[in-house]
């Protein structure tokens, strides 16, 4: 057991943080979100710097280097990056050895039927569909996609032509049942990884504001009623961080992933609620950065059955839910 | 960063589990229903800890010069998890090995080390902690019990409250005010006092938690030699802070909660309750909470294993660990329903053992204060 980053992990996180400090951040996210745009430049930089393929490049006989990739995804989420890096760095390497063209968007069969707005769904070049037993890898063209306006912090899009996806085997490549389990686990874990980086930034932003903002002649952050609730949020974020990293280290086993996601996505709701409540009216405005992270937390809680889905998966994995 | 147990650690866990299977008597469940402070468990702990000591496991994380084996704290944490999982057969002696011994190693005189450490490392002695007082609960530095130095003796007067394990204890780790003109954290000292000293009286406080759980300890002109002073006079607050860093995650509450939860899930399956989505949701929530508490405790053990100074991670782990223990105690009542109304039934026992978690060793609110100031660096004003 060792909770400290090793030298390689340290170098990776420092390097990606440097890149993100220059090419990402709340101001850029707000600008891109305002136009429903994807950050092609950041996506390209992550590709060129070798971060996008790190899970494959550092893979061992045990599988892709999920922890290193998770550290990068966590950092990108913290910076509010408008890139589909979780699907690219965590999910894709787990389902298929060969690289998959990004941006990638993810959906279930149910998502496809409705069809619901997908994160990065207006810009994706590949759709990964989680079937009951298979994974379908479907190349997308701009005609397949329709942008959807959303309040929830990511560029969203819906699949435009339902008939094009009626026969998934004809629409793209079909991967076997091992890929389906891997996709489900890594997708669920990637939601938790993104939530950790996003919660971290939302909480840090709120704590910084509450140290400065004065009411009743003192800083709001000095009131015990506020301090205790912030402390509870911090406990949730830290526990989420380590659960997620541990699950990524072990290659996303179902039970560990479900526990990490169940706890993290529940904490995401707590962090959303508390950071907005404590920030007051300014917290809802576009000029105040909190929304960059807070609104995303709610979107992350909606995929793959959210908290309830993670809890059901956890009970099934640990105890089996057959009477 | 890596999250694997070593092969030696995995084997050690198996060995400890096999040892427990061998050593715990058939009526252990009945014996442990009043918790580590119960009469039968206290009695059994002397036998059990001696057996652990014979294996070299009781204080294996201590330095070899004090009867240990220089093992990493990880090894000791495995023992803690396995012991709490079955209801802590070490009784109150978990405190001895977790923090009383280490505090004596760090602050004790050679004479004190020679007197106390061999007794602890061979499982021969029971201790209790004399911290809280009627007017000094969460605000511990308000304590009033005083020890007046007269020649080469301390004369102690005052009282302690909520004291667990004292009815069977051989010694008390006693916090007193030695400088009568002092206030708050200054002027406090730690005395290591034999419980059979004349003038000490123990009274049980009946409670809903269980038998022999809470006590008051009265000190009336209790006279002890000054060599019972641990560390320097009036430096007791530092001693206590040092000790509490070990104590706050000393009890592997998440491990016991996880085992309880496994039993609850098994029962829910047997009764067809896993078809109820609400039950499934609650079980999933509770399991995730156990895992979250475990990983935060592991983070603290990692810091300790590296010999780094304690951080606010201890408080983070403490709060989540007690939250988890409480939540699963309450869930047991829901799953067992009316069956839990019977005293010493499975759900009742687990609930009672968990219900004080957020109060003991510093209330949750005190831990949250510390997180706010030390971890989030929020202003006090």
């Amino acid at each position: 057991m060792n909770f400290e980053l090793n030298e390689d992990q340290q170098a990776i996180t420092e390097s990606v943080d440097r890149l993100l400090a220059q090419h990402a951040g709340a101001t850029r996210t707000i600008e891109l979100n305002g136009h429903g745009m994807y950050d092609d430049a950041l996506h390209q930089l992550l590709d060129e710097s070798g971060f996008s393929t790190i899970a494959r490049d550092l893979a061992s006989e045990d599988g892709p280097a999920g922890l290193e990739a998770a550290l990068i995804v966590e950092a990108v989420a913290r910076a509010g990056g408008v890139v589909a890096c979780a699907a690219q760095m965590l999910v894709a390497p787990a389902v298929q050895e060969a690289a998959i063209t990004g941006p990638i968007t993810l959906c279930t069969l149910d998502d496809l039927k409705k069809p619901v707005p997908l994160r990065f769904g207006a810009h994706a070049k590949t759709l990964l569909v989680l079937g009951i037993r298979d994974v379908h890898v479907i190349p997308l063209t701009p005609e397949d996609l329709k942008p959807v306006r959303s309040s929830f912090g990511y560029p969203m899009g819906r699949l435009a032509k339902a008939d094009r996806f009626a026969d998934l085997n004809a629409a793209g490549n079909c991967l076997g049942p091992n890929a389906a389990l891997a996709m489900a686990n890594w997708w669920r874990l990637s939601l938790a990884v993104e939530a950790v980086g996003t919660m971290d930034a939302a909480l840090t932003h709120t704590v910084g504001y509450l140290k400065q903002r004065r009411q009743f002649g003192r800083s709001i952050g000095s009131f015990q009623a506020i301090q205790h609730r912030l402390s509870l949020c911090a406990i949730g974020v830290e526990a989420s961080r380590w659960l997620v990293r541990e699950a990524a280290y072990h290659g996303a086993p179902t039970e560990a992933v479900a526990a990490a996601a169940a706890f993290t996505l529940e904490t995401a709701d707590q962090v959303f609620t508390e950071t907005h409540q404590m920030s007051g009216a300014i917290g809802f405005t576009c000029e105040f950065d909190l929304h960059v992270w807070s609104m995303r937390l709610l979107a992350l809680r909606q995929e793959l059955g959210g908290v309830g889905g993670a809890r059901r998966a956890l009970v099934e994995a640990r105890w089996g839910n057959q009477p | 960063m890596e999250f694997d147990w070593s092969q030696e650690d995995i084997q050690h866990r198996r060995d400890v589990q096999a040892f427990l299977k061998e050593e715990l008597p058939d009526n252990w469940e009945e014996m442990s229903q009043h918790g580590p402070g119960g009469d039968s468990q206290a009695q059994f702990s002397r036998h059990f800890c001696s057996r652990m000591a014979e294996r070299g496991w009781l204080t294996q994380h201590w330095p070899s010069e004090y009867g240990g084996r220089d093992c990493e704290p990880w090894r000791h944490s495995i023992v803690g998890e396995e012991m709490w999982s079955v209801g802590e057969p070490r009784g109150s002696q978990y405190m001895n090995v977790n923090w009383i011994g280490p505090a004596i190693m760090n602050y004790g005189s050679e004479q004190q080390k020679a007197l106390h450490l061999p007794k602890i490392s061979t499982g021969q002695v029971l201790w209790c902690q004399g911290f809280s007082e009627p007017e000094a609960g969460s605000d511990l530095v308000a304590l009033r019990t005083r020890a007046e130095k007269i020649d080469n003796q301390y004369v102690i007067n005052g009282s302690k409250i909520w004291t667990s394990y004292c009815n069977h204890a051989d010694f008390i780790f006693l916090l007193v005010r030695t400088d009568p003109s002092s206030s708050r954290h200054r002027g406090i000292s730690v005395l290591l006092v034999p419980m059979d000293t004349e003038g000490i009286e123990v009274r049980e406080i009946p409670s809903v938690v269980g038998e022999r759980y809470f006590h008051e300890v009265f000190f009336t002109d209790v006279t002890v030699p000054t060599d019972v002073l641990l560390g320097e006079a009036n430096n007791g607050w530092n001693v206590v802070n040092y000790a509490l860093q070990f104590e706050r995650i000393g009890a592997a509450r998440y491990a016991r909660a996880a085992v309880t939860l496994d039993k609850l899930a098994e029962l829910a399956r047997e009764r067809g309750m896993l078809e109820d989505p609400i039950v499934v949701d609650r079980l999933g929530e509770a399991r995730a909470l156990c895992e979250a508490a475990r990983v935060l405790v592991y983070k603290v053990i990692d810091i300790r294993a590296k010999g780094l100074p304690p951080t606010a991670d201890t408080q983070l782990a403490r709060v989540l660990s007690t939250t988890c223990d409480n939540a699963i105690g309450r869930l047991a009542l829901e799953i067992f329903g009316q069956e839990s109304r019977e005293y010493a039934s499975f759900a009742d026992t687990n609930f009672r053992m968990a219900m004080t978690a957020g109060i003991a060793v510093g209330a949750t609110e005190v831990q949250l204060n510390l997180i706010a100031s030390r971890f989030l660096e929020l202003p006090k004003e």
Side-chain angles (χ1 to χ4, degrees), chain B residues 56 79 93 117 161 167 196 239 249 267 278-279 281 287 296 303 342 361 364 374 378:
Chain B
V79 170
Q93 291 197 51
L117 298 180
I161 198 167
N167 49 330
D196 61 0
V239 179
I249 59 153
L267 180 93
I278 294 172
V279 171
D281 194 73
R287 175 65 197 169
L296 282 189
I303 290 167
E342 184 171 354
V361 206
T364 296
R374 295 177 186 174
L378 288 162

Side-chain angles (χ1 to χ4, degrees), chain A residues 1-5 9 211 218-219 222 224 227-228 231 246 249-250 311 314-315 318-320 323, chain B residues 1-5 74 262 265 269 275 280-281 284 294 302 306 365 368-369 372 376-377 379 381:
Chain A
M1 295 272 183
N2 185 355
F3 281 58
E4 272 180 351
L5 300 180
Q9 291 160 347
K211 282 180 185 175
R218 54 195 276 199
S219 77
S222 70
Q224 197 179 45
Q227 291 190 347
H228 282 191
S231 296
E246 186 183 47
Y249 172 83
H250 286 303
R311 288 177 182 169
L314 177 52
V315 171
R318 184 157 186 85
W319 298 299
Chain B
M1 197 184 297
E2 51 100 3
F3 299 95
D4 289 319
W5 290 105
W74 289 111
D262 282 340
R269 187 219 309 279
E275 288 172 1
V280 169
D281 194 73
R294 175 192 59 77
D302 184 58
K306 292 188 169 89
E365 287 70 17
L368 294 175
N369 285 348
L376 295 172
E377 297 178 344
E381 283 182 44

Side-chain angles (χ1 to χ4, degrees), chain A residues 71-90:
Chain A
L71 292 171
I72 295 168
V73 172
E74 186 185 322
V76 172
R78 199 177 297 116
V82 192
V83 285
C85 65
Q88 187 87 44
M89 296 184 198
L90 293 170

Side-chain angles (χ1 to χ4, degrees), chain B residues 171-342:
Chain B
F171 289 91
I172 184 167
F173 192 97
L174 183 66
L175 218 49
V176 293
R177 195 165 288 288
T178 39
D179 178 358
S181 64
S182 67
S183 65
R184 308 300 292 168
H185 61 278
R186 296 179 193 85
I188 292 172
S189 300
V190 172
L191 305 181
L192 309 176
V193 178
M195 281 297 285
D196 61 0
T197 312
E198 197 179 334
I200 298 180
E201 186 192 349
V202 174
R203 286 185 210 155
E204 184 179 352
I205 303 172
S207 76
V208 293
V209 185
E211 296 166 17
R212 317 280 185 274
Y213 199 87
F214 291 132
H215 304 83
E216 278 182 287
V217 188
F218 297 93
F219 299 84
T220 309
D221 292 329
V222 173
T223 306
V224 289
T226 51
D227 62 10
V228 302
L229 172 71
L230 181 65
E232 291 173 25
N234 304 322
N235 189 40
W237 192 243
N238 288 332
V239 179
V240 167
N241 274 321
Y242 177 85
L244 286 182
Q245 290 299 332
F246 292 90
E247 170 67 344
R248 281 181 174 138
I249 59 153
R253 290 182 173 277
Y254 61 91
R256 189 188 60 196
V259 170
T260 303
L261 187 61
D262 282 340
K263 289 179 183 166
L264 289 178
E266 193 53 47
L267 180 93
R269 187 219 309 279
E270 281 170 17
R271 298 182 177 187
M273 294 168 77
L274 290 184
E275 288 172 1
D276 181 344
I278 294 172
V279 171
V280 169
D281 194 73
R282 297 293 307 278
L283 288 170
E285 179 185 26
R287 175 65 197 169
L289 192 53
C290 288
E291 282 294 276
R294 175 192 59 77
V295 80
L296 282 189
V297 171
Y298 281 12
K299 174 91 186 332
V300 178
I301 296 168
D302 184 58
I303 290 167
R304 194 173 293 165
K306 292 188 169 89
L308 299 169
T311 65
D313 288 287
T314 306
Q315 275 73 42
L316 299 177
R318 172 78 192 172
V319 173
L320 206 53
S321 206
T322 54
T323 304
C324 159
D325 205 6
N326 275 318
I328 282 131
R330 288 195 301 273
L331 184 59
L333 299 187
E334 287 181 43
I335 301 271
F336 274 88
Q338 287 162 303
E339 288 170 65
S340 57
R341 292 172 176 180
E342 184 171 354

Side-chain angles (χ1 to χ4, degrees), chain B residues 10-24:
Chain B
I10 291 168
Q11 185 56 47
H12 185 61
R13 190 183 292 278
R14 288 194 196 116
D15 292 343
V16 173
Q17 287 168 344
F19 173 77
L20 283 166
K21 212 169 177 185
E22 209 172 282
E23 292 293 331
L24 292 186

Side-chain angles (χ1 to χ4, degrees), chain A residues 163-246:
Chain A
D163 55 336
R164 157 106 157 81
F165 305 97
D167 182 354
L168 290 173
N169 288 329
N173 192 15
C174 176
L175 308 175
N178 290 341
L181 182 63
M183 179 172 170
N185 285 338
W186 279 103
W187 183 2
R188 183 163 274 138
L189 185 59
S190 76
L191 295 169
V193 174
E194 288 187 85
V196 166
T198 308
M199 291 192 292
D200 197 357
L203 187 60
T204 302
H205 185 270
T206 304
V207 168
Y209 174 67
L210 295 178
K211 282 180 185 175
Q212 291 171 5
R213 170 73 174 164
R214 295 178 73 83
Q215 290 286 275
F216 307 103
R218 54 195 276 199
S219 77
I220 293 177
S222 70
F223 287 98
Q224 197 179 45
I226 298 293
Q227 291 190 347
H228 282 191
R229 286 156 56 193
L230 286 173
S231 296
L232 289 169
C233 287
I235 291 168
V237 174
E238 288 310 301
S240 299
R241 188 194 313 283
W242 293 107
L243 278 178
V244 160
R245 289 178 175 181
E246 186 183 47

